[in-house]
Amino acid sequence: MAIQLASKFEPYVDEKFTAESKKSLLTNNDFDWTGAHTIKVYKVTTAEMNDYDRAGTGANNSRYGQVQGLDAVTEEMTLTKDRSFTFAIDKLDTDETKQQVQAASALERQQREVVIPEIDSYVYGVMTAKAGTKPDAVELTKDNIYLEIIKGNAALDNADVPETGRVIVVTPDIYLLMKQCKDIVMETDISNELRIKGVIGMIDGANVIKVPAARLPENFGFMVAHPVATVAPTKLEDYKIHQDPPGISGSLVEGRICYDAFVLDNKAKAIYYQAATTTPTA
């Protein structure tokens, strides 16, 4: 006669490992989308410099040169990502799993494992696609990684990008190469506030952060960026838990988030993206 062995379920949920978002270090929220779905900003041109004509013998007898007009054109930022989710949790499922399946923890898990990674991937994708400087893909190794990174920082210098606030984004594999590079001496004396946000050190005056490869484009090498370039608004973030709504004995969870990311035309040079020819290995 067969004996059915007893099973025991512990009041514990085997949660997936997830990484906190670090996009706040790379982006800004300089514009207010309240009451609007589209924002327009102006781009205004400048005038050329002339040699001052003390005798006034130039065109129209102007000592300052030919009068020029300034152009003012606009660039539009329209929110395109309006995303949502919903799921139900039966009352008996909550009761018979010793309260391990419940709406509040399930909602938090949805945000941590689904919502945040999706937004991160989208924002990083926009930044790399619209980076102002994108050299040809190279094979990154422990011998050339430092040179390639400082090339990126130099490109930002030549574009007059502010020196403070720059961020270097790397994958864990690239970070492993950096740790093996004899030329890299990473400054680790950083504030606790930056550590909490995910900064692991500084190179050439720029903060270094690690981002999981799954949230970055394929063959991502590294990116040097200043947050002034990328606007990443979240216009609406709405999460609800309905208890015993019509047709459901239990909880109905609904979530909606409206977000987007835009790289400003005149600030695109504040992003340097270096793709890798292959997945870097140590």
Side-chain angles (χ1 to χ4, degrees):
M1 161 174 139
I3 299 176
Q4 184 172 2
L5 301 179
S7 297
K8 180 181 179 182
F9 288 89
E10 293 292 336
Y12 176 84
V13 176
D14 185 13
E15 302 285 7
K16 291 182 179 180
F17 289 119
T18 55
E20 295 292 331
S21 176
K22 301 180 178 70
K23 77 179 182 70
S24 63
L25 290 166
L26 292 158
T27 62
N28 69 76
N29 287 288
D30 290 347
F31 306 106
D32 183 7
W33 259 264
T34 302
H37 202 68
T38 298
I39 282 183
K40 296 182 180 182
V41 295
Y42 282 101
K43 296 184 293 183
V44 182
T45 60
T46 55
E48 296 179 358
M49 296 294 289
N50 305 294
D51 292 327
Y52 183 76
D53 183 3
R54 294 178 64 181
T57 58
N60 300 322
N61 295 323
S62 172
R63 289 172 168 78
Y64 291 90
Q66 184 69 35
V67 177
Q68 301 176 36
L70 298 183
D71 295 325
V73 297
T74 61
E75 55 183 300
E76 292 188 7
M77 294 178 284
T78 301
L79 298 171
T80 62
K81 306 296 285 186
D82 193 354
R83 305 280 283 163
S84 62
F85 63 85
T86 183
F87 57 85
I89 298 177
D90 190 272
K91 277 185 179 178
L92 284 182
D93 289 340
T94 299
D95 177 75
E96 294 172 358
T97 58
K98 298 183 178 181
Q99 306 298 314
Q100 296 308 296
V101 177
Q102 53 179 305
S105 60
L107 174 56
E108 191 275 335
R109 186 179 302 111
Q110 176 77 14
Q111 292 172 291
R112 185 179 67 247
E113 296 183 11
V114 180
V115 177
I116 291 174
E118 175 184 304
I119 296 172
D120 277 4
S121 295
Y122 178 78
V123 172
Y124 298 142
V126 169
M127 293 180 70
T128 54
K130 298 189 176 181
T133 306
K134 291 191 287 186
D136 293 337
V138 297
E139 181 181 2
L140 297 173
T141 68
K142 63 183 180 181
D143 297 317
N144 71 359
I145 184 63
Y146 180 62
L147 176 60
E148 296 301 329
I149 287 176
I150 62 175
K151 280 182 183 177
N153 226 8
L156 267 65
D157 287 340
N158 288 325
D160 292 330
V161 177
E163 294 185 17
T164 57
R166 297 181 189 178
V167 179
I168 300 170
V169 183
V170 298
T171 64
D173 289 327
I174 291 294
Y175 182 63
L176 184 58
L177 293 181
M178 293 164 62
K179 295 287 284 185
Q180 298 176 76
C181 178
K182 58 181 177 59
D183 297 320
I184 292 180
V185 179
M186 192 175 301
E187 182 181 342
T188 57
D189 185 17
I190 56 178
S191 69
N192 188 55
E193 180 183 359
L194 288 176
R195 288 188 184 278
I196 292 174
K197 290 182 177 180
V199 176
I200 57 177
M202 295 183 69
I203 294 178
D204 204 25
N207 294 324
V208 179
I209 63 173
K210 279 189 299 184
V211 173
R215 299 189 190 183
L216 296 165
E218 188 177 2
N219 294 328
F220 182 94
F222 65 87
M223 178 168 60
V224 185
H226 194 286
V228 72
T230 308
V231 183
T234 298
K235 179 177 173 63
L236 175 68
E237 194 169 8
D238 187 24
Y239 304 110
K240 301 174 183 177
I241 299 176
H242 305 279
Q243 192 63 42
D244 295 325
I248 296 177
S249 174
S251 301
L252 174 67
V253 181
E254 297 174 323
R256 181 185 181 190
I257 184 165
C258 181
Y259 68 92
D260 218 313
F262 309 93
V263 174
L264 296 170
D265 292 344
N266 285 341
K267 293 183 173 64
K269 288 292 185 180
I271 304 176
Y272 179 100
Y273 172 54
Q274 177 62 69
T277 53
T278 58
T279 301
T281 56

